[in-house]
């Protein structure tokens, strides 16, 4: 049909031969309908061929490799003709036919109708239309030239309908995606609400636990004063018991005297007071001695010993020009590596009750141990044979300390007293009384004329050995003062308290020069290092702190808890710090590298620890009444 509208017949024929398809409108109507039904709408376009060959001659490509001139036919004219033909063939092979782009041609009316019927599925109507339409065309009744094209509006309408269908499909897809997103959003909102409620519940539980914890802390804090009150009541009851026993013994003595008088009256002899006293003493010697009578007898013996030192009542003077610290040279000369590989060597069972303190003699290989069985014992090393046993306190012993010369010993006790002992004879030479509660610790001044003690009554006292009186009482702590220590070769005192503070005192004036804060729990012990540059302290939660004594600032804090640290002690070089822990472990801290080594051997709580003079042996005392040696 397009060929009848102006395309030359030769051009149409050439295009048909080139593309292998017929472009004329003639043909079978049934074949056209099948093609339309199979391929949908199709268009006949006008094609203009720019260049065409002059004839229908088909050239055959001759390979270059097979080209040769036969022998015997070496004619120049034929060779030139063959070369020209070869050049012509090459040009034909290189020549390319360029077809112009297809212009947009409106759809013809019969094609529009066919496409419409195919889309609507009206195949019978399509068959009738094509049969009648092509019959009219063959008869020449209907000419194609007079038939107009379908207006662009209809074509655009069809395109818009297709686009509308595609958009509806996309809209449906987007609606499904939106519904799915809405469902996901609702699910996420529900999860958010669930987690929000869970978070609120957790916050409420946390606040409740915090309140419970605060209540428990207050409840726990209320135990300490209750325990102190109970201790005071216990001591009061013991005193009342002692007084009652004394009254009972007095009444028993009076009854015995009266019975003796009656016997003498009946016999007819006269009564003499001295004979009654002798009779009483003999009767007591024959009867078994009870603990109360034993305590009274020991007290009488102590009172007899006490007047021995009352010849000089003049107060001692605190030294002004102190000699240099001898431990400085010892630390410089001791360049050997620190020792940490201690092994349990011996176990000495010395006390029936827990060991509270062990201390080394300042010059000899002698060790003294104090126990809660009211006894102190002197041991010879390394065999551990008991050289001397001292008794005289009426309650447990808490601490002991050698005189700088090594010939005297000071002990502190739960009976509120501090006693001085002559180690040559083993006798008590002096008793200091003045504290209202148990005495926890005692220490000697480097000059040997003063003893300092700390007590549960929140005070510390400095005792003059020569005048046998308390020279000064140190007030300032708000809780029990658990340890006291003289700075080497000076008049400075260090105390640690259950009020979580360390205090530095001037022993001459009794004034607190500085307080150190940092512990969060009750401080059980504090000590100077041999050189006097550092302070080590440990508290009831196992935290050990090192302080710079020159700057009065903390250096480091080591948490070895939660078991309490009962005592700390340096070796002679000052490079190793030992801590006796409540879980029975002896911790050794390397002050150079910061490493912590553990010594396992105590079956129960470890109360005290001390090094030998050369640092090769370590001694520890525990709650099982034993002293253990490590080397």
């Amino acid at each position: 049909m397009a060929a009848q509208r102006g395309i030359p017949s030769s051009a149409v024929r050439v295009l048909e031969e080139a593309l292998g398809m017929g472009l004329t409108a003639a043909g079978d109507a049934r074949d056209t309908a099948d093609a339309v039904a199979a391929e949908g709408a199709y268009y006949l376009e006008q094609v203009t061929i720019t260049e065409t060959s002059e004839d229908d001659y088909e050239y055959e490509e001759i390979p270059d490799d097979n080209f040769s001139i036969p022998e015997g036919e070496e004619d120049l004219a034929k060779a030139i003709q063959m070369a020209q033909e070869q050049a012509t063939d090459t040009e034909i092979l290189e020549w390319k036919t360029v077809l112009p782009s297809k212009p947009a041609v409106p759809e013809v009316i019969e094609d529009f109708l066919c496409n419409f019927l195919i889309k609507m599925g009206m195949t019978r109507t399509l068959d009738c239309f094509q049969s009648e339409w092509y019959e009219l065309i063959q008869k020449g009744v209907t000419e194609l030239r007079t038939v107009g094209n379908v207006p662009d509006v209809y074509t655009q309408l069809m395109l818009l309908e297709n686009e509308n269908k595609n958009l509806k499909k996309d809209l449906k897809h987007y609606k499904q995606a939106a519904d799915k997103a809405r469902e996901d959003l609702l699910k996420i909102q529900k999860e958010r609400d669930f987690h929000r409620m869970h978070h609120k519940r957790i916050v409420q539980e946390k606040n409740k636990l915090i309140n419970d914890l605060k209540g428990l802390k207050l409840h726990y804090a209320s135990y300490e004063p209750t325990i102190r009150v109970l201790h005071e009541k216990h001591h009061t009851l013991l005193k009342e018991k002692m007084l009652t026993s004394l009254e009972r013994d007095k009444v028993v003595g009076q009854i015995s005297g009266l019975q003796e008088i009656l016997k003498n009256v009946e016999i007819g002899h006269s009564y003499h007071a001295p004979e009654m006293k002798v009779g009483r003493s003999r009767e007591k010697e024959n009867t078994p001695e009870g603990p109360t009578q034993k305590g009274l007898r020991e007290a009488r013996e102590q009172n007899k010993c006490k007047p021995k030192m009352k010849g000089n009542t003049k107060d001692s003077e605190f030294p002004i020009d102190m000699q240099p610290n001898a431990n400085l040279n010892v630390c410089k000369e001791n360049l050997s590596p620190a020792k940490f590989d201690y092994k349990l060597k011996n176990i000495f069972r010395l006390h029936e009750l827990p060991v509270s303190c062990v201390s080394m003699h300042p010059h000899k290989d002698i060790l003294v141990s104090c126990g809660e069985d009211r006894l102190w014992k002197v041991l010879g090393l390394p065999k551990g044979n008991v050289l001397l046993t001292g008794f005289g306190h009426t309650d447990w012993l808490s601490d002991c300390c050698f005189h700088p010369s090594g010939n005297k010993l000071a002990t502190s006790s739960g009976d509120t007293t501090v006693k001085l002992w002559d180690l040559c004879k083993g006798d008590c030479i002096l008793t200091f009384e003045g504290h209202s509660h148990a005495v926890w610790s005692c220490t000697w001044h480097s000059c040997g004329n003063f003893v300092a003690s700390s007590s549960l009554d929140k005070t510390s006292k400095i005792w003059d050995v020569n005048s046998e009186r308390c020279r000064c009482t140190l007030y300032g702590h708000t809780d029990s003062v658990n340890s006291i220590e003289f700075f080497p070769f000076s008049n400075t005192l260090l105390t640690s308290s259950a009020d979580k503070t360390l205090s530095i005192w001037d022993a001459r004036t009794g004034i607190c020069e500085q307080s150190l804060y940092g512990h969060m729990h009750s401080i059980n012990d504090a000590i100077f290092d041999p050189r006097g540059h550092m302070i080590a302290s440990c508290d009831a939660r196992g935290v050990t702190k090192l302080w710079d004594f020159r700057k009065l600032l903390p250096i480091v804090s080591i948490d070895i808890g939660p078991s309490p640290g009962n005592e700390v002690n340096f070796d002679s070089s000052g490079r190793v710090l030992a801590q006796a822990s409540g879980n029975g472990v002896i911790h050794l801290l390397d002050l150079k590298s910061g490493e912590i080594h553990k010594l396992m051997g105590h079956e129960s709580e470890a109360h005290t620890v001390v090094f030998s003079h050369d640092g090769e042996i370590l001694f520890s005392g525990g709650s099982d009444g034993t002293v253990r040696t490590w080397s």
Side-chain angles (χ1 to χ4, degrees):
M1 288 180 284
Q4 295 179 8
R5 277 186 261 179
I7 301 176
S9 60
S10 61
V12 174
R13 185 171 62 253
V14 170
L15 183 60
E16 288 177 351
E17 292 176 356
L19 301 177
M21 55 182 297
L23 300 178
T24 60
D28 191 351
R30 173 65 63 183
D31 296 337
T32 304
D34 294 337
V36 170
E39 298 178 4
Y42 63 91
Y43 301 92
L44 295 177
E45 299 180 358
Q46 181 177 357
V47 178
T48 302
I49 299 176
T50 56
E51 293 182 2
T52 58
S53 58
E54 296 178 357
D55 49 11
D56 295 338
Y57 179 78
E58 296 180 358
Y59 294 96
E60 181 179 359
E61 182 179 358
I62 300 174
D64 295 339
D65 299 337
N66 297 330
F67 176 75
S68 62
I69 300 174
E71 295 181 1
E73 298 181 0
E74 298 178 358
D75 190 0
L76 180 60
K78 290 182 179 181
I80 293 172
Q81 185 179 358
M82 291 177 66
Q84 291 177 355
E85 292 177 355
Q86 184 178 1
T88 303
D89 294 339
T90 304
E91 292 177 0
I92 292 172
L93 291 174
E94 293 177 354
W95 177 70
K96 297 180 180 179
T97 302
V98 180
L99 297 178
S101 61
K102 296 179 180 181
V105 179
E107 190 175 14
V108 294
I109 189 68
E110 64 272 19
D111 295 335
F112 177 79
L113 292 175
C114 291
N115 292 333
F116 176 75
L117 293 175
I118 290 170
K119 290 182 179 180
M120 297 302 295
M122 304 170 64
T123 57
R124 290 181 295 174
T125 306
L126 177 64
D127 295 339
C128 294
F129 171 73
Q130 287 181 342
S131 299
E132 187 175 359
W133 177 257
Y134 286 107
E135 183 179 356
L136 292 175
I137 291 175
Q138 292 295 330
K139 291 180 180 180
V141 177
T142 301
E143 294 182 359
L144 295 175
R145 295 178 182 178
T146 59
V147 180
N149 298 328
V150 180
D152 293 341
V153 176
Y154 297 104
T155 305
Q156 293 176 1
L157 182 61
M158 296 295 292
L159 295 175
L160 290 175
E161 286 181 356
N162 293 331
E163 186 176 358
N164 191 16
K165 289 180 180 178
N166 295 331
L167 291 175
K168 285 182 179 179
K169 290 181 181 179
D170 295 339
L171 179 61
K172 184 178 179 181
H173 177 71
Y174 292 145
K175 283 184 177 180
Q176 293 177 354
D179 294 337
K180 185 178 180 181
R182 189 179 295 106
E183 293 177 357
D184 295 340
L185 178 61
L186 292 175
K187 184 178 179 181
I188 292 173
Q189 288 178 348
K190 290 180 180 178
E191 292 180 355
R192 180 202 62 188
D193 296 337
F194 171 76
H195 289 297
R196 185 176 294 171
M197 294 296 294
H198 183 67
H199 175 70
K200 290 181 179 178
R201 182 172 61 84
I202 293 298
V203 170
Q204 292 176 356
E205 292 179 357
K206 184 194 73 173
N207 294 332
K208 183 179 178 181
L209 290 174
I210 290 174
N211 294 330
D212 293 342
L213 185 61
K214 290 180 179 178
L216 290 174
K217 285 183 178 180
L218 294 175
H219 189 62
Y220 173 75
S222 65
Y223 273 116
E224 293 185 357
T226 305
I227 292 173
R228 287 197 296 269
V229 171
L230 291 175
H231 276 297
E232 293 175 0
K233 290 182 178 179
H234 176 68
H235 289 299
T236 303
L237 291 174
L238 289 178
K239 290 180 180 178
E240 292 179 355
K241 180 183 176 182
M242 180 69 71
L243 293 175
T244 304
S245 301
L246 292 174
E247 292 294 334
R248 183 194 64 185
D249 295 339
K250 183 177 179 181
V251 172
V252 169
Q254 291 177 357
I255 293 174
S256 301
L258 291 174
Q259 290 176 351
E260 189 70 23
I261 292 172
L262 289 175
K263 289 180 181 179
N264 292 330
V265 169
E266 291 175 357
I267 296 172
H269 296 285
S270 61
Y271 169 71
H272 299 282
E275 292 179 359
M276 183 187 69
K277 290 182 181 178
V278 173
R280 285 178 57 194
S281 62
R282 287 177 181 175
E283 185 178 355
K284 289 184 180 180
E285 288 176 359
N286 295 329
T287 58
E289 187 178 19
T292 305
Q293 296 173 353
K294 182 180 178 181
L296 290 173
R297 180 177 58 80
E298 293 174 355
R300 293 191 190 100
E301 292 177 356
Q302 293 170 14
N303 291 330
K304 291 178 181 179
C305 297
K306 187 174 180 180
K308 291 182 181 179
M309 294 189 62
K310 286 191 175 181
N312 185 10
T313 59
K314 185 179 180 181
D315 289 338
S316 302
E317 295 292 336
F318 282 99
I320 299 176
D321 298 328
M322 299 296 296
Q323 58 182 341
N325 189 351
N327 292 323
L328 294 176
N329 297 327
V330 173
C331 295
K332 290 179 180 179
E333 294 175 358
N334 191 357
L335 300 178
S336 59
K339 182 177 180 180
F340 300 98
D341 54 344
Y342 291 96
K343 302 295 181 183
L344 182 60
K345 185 176 181 181
N346 288 321
I347 300 176
F348 304 135
R349 299 191 178 276
L350 303 175
H351 299 273
E352 297 179 358
L353 295 178
V355 178
S356 56
C357 175
V358 291
S359 180
M360 281 294 298
H361 192 280
H363 309 297
K364 301 178 182 179
D365 289 335
I366 294 176
L367 183 74
V368 64
S369 67
C370 298
E372 295 185 8
D373 56 0
R374 309 177 186 179
L375 302 177
W376 55 267
K377 296 185 179 182
V378 179
L379 280 73
L381 300 176
K383 294 182 179 181
N385 52 322
V386 178
L387 304 178
L388 185 63
T389 300
F391 56 89
H393 284 285
T394 59
D395 210 335
W396 43 269
L397 273 68
S398 58
D399 195 14
C400 62
C401 183
F402 276 101
H403 188 273
S405 63
N407 56 4
K408 295 184 184 66
L409 181 71
T411 58
S412 59
S413 171
D415 61 6
T416 72
T417 65
V418 176
K419 291 182 180 294
L420 304 185
W421 307 83
D422 185 354
L423 294 180
C424 298
K425 300 178 181 180
D427 296 333
C428 175
I429 58 177
L430 188 58
T431 299
F432 294 119
E433 298 177 353
H435 286 289
S436 59
H437 291 288
V439 183
W440 288 121
S441 180
C442 61
T443 181
W444 282 93
H445 191 282
S446 300
C447 67
N449 295 328
F450 301 96
V451 175
S453 60
S454 62
S455 172
L456 181 64
D457 60 6
K458 307 177 186 178
T459 66
S460 300
K461 291 181 180 292
I462 301 174
W463 309 91
D464 192 328
V465 177
N466 294 324
S467 62
E468 303 178 10
R469 71 182 188 91
C470 176
R471 290 286 299 273
C472 183
T473 301
L474 309 180
Y475 298 96
H477 285 292
T478 59
D479 209 333
S480 170
V481 186
N482 295 330
S483 73
I484 190 166
E485 181 80 12
F486 267 109
F487 184 79
F489 302 95
S490 76
N491 298 317
T492 302
L493 271 172
L494 169 67
T495 58
S496 65
S497 172
D499 62 6
K500 310 170 188 177
T501 64
L502 300 172
S503 294
I504 310 297
W505 307 81
D506 188 343
R508 296 167 294 183
T509 61
I511 298 176
C512 179
E513 301 290 345
Q514 183 72 34
S515 293
L516 304 179
Y517 302 89
H519 280 281
M520 303 300 293
H521 302 278
S522 171
I523 305 176
N524 292 336
D525 190 30
I527 191 172
F528 291 103
D529 76 324
R531 303 181 64 183
H533 295 169
M534 281 193 303
I535 298 173
S537 59
C538 61
D539 64 20
R541 289 290 292 179
V543 177
T544 299
K545 286 183 176 291
L546 296 178
W547 310 78
D548 189 338
F549 180 63
R550 293 168 293 185
K551 299 180 180 179
L552 296 177
L553 293 174
I555 300 175
V556 68
S557 179
I558 305 108
D559 189 356
I560 319 179
S563 299
N566 294 323
E567 186 176 296
V568 288
N569 221 323
F570 287 94
D571 69 342
S572 58
S573 65
R575 292 177 293 177
V576 182
L577 178 68
Q579 183 210 57
S581 180
N583 58 3
V585 179
I586 306 298
H587 296 91
L588 300 179
L589 175 62
D590 187 353
L591 300 183
K592 185 175 182 181
S593 64
E595 296 181 359
I596 298 176
H597 305 266
K598 296 182 179 181
L599 302 181
M600 315 287 288
H602 278 280
E603 299 175 357
S604 56
E605 186 174 359
H607 286 168
T608 179
V609 62
V610 67
F611 287 93
S612 62
H613 299 300
D614 56 3
E616 294 297 323
I617 304 176
L618 184 142
F619 305 94
S620 61
S623 60
D624 56 358
T626 63
V627 174
R628 299 171 187 254
T629 62
W630 311 76
S631 61

